[in-house]
Amino acid sequence: MKRILIIDDEERIRKLYSQLLKAEGYRVFQAASVFEANEILKREHIDLVLLDIKMPEVEGNVFYETIQLFHKKTKVIVTSVYSLSEQQQLIEGAAGYHDKSEGNAM
């Protein structure tokens, strides 16, 4: 079973993604901060991260670099209200980009 980590400071977004992904048979973990996410990544094998950019304390684009350094096999899809072109500029090389602005959240 594939394992997905949702990193987003908005609880409603984490819950929405979690419900949708669990219904598809994925094992889902949630983190409200990059600090929580880092602890999960240390103890669990995660196949895919859904990563918000605008986060408290540490921005998602900074945490993306950590994921690339220490969890090279983990794919990252950026999920943000920023436009897709802005997402691609802020986080180059992600496996995908998703505009979660109002009306587009999956």
Side-chain angles (χ1 to χ4, degrees):
M1 176 184 298
K2 296 287 184 180
R3 296 165 168 241
I4 299 175
L5 171 58
I6 302 164
I7 308 171
D8 199 302
D9 57 322
E10 292 184 55
E11 184 178 9
R12 71 176 181 81
I13 295 292
R14 290 193 315 272
K15 283 184 175 181
L16 174 66
Y17 287 172
S18 183
Q19 289 171 350
L20 292 170
L21 293 166
K22 284 180 179 178
E24 293 296 321
Y26 296 102
R27 174 111 189 258
V28 179
F29 300 84
Q30 297 181 39
S33 72
V34 297
F35 301 112
E36 284 181 46
N38 195 46
E39 291 304 311
I40 293 169
L41 285 166
K42 285 180 188 177
R43 69 176 187 266
E44 301 287 344
H45 169 75
I46 300 295
D47 299 294
L48 176 68
V49 169
L50 300 181
L51 178 64
D52 188 15
I53 295 174
K54 187 80 172 142
M55 297 284 293
E57 293 131 6
V58 178
E59 297 278 319
N61 55 329
V62 174
F63 191 61
Y64 175 78
E65 299 299 325
T66 301
I67 295 170
Q68 292 300 295
L69 284 172
F70 297 103
H71 308 281
K72 295 179 194 291
K73 292 183 180 182
T74 302
K75 293 185 180 189
V76 176
I77 295 177
V78 179
T79 62
S80 177
V81 295
Y82 291 118
S83 70
L84 296 179
S85 61
E86 288 176 296
Q87 291 179 36
Q88 291 169 344
Q89 288 175 351
L90 288 167
I91 300 180
E92 292 182 25
Y97 303 88
H98 175 72
D99 180 354
K100 70 172 185 176
S101 59
E102 212 167 330
N104 289 325
M106 288 189 134

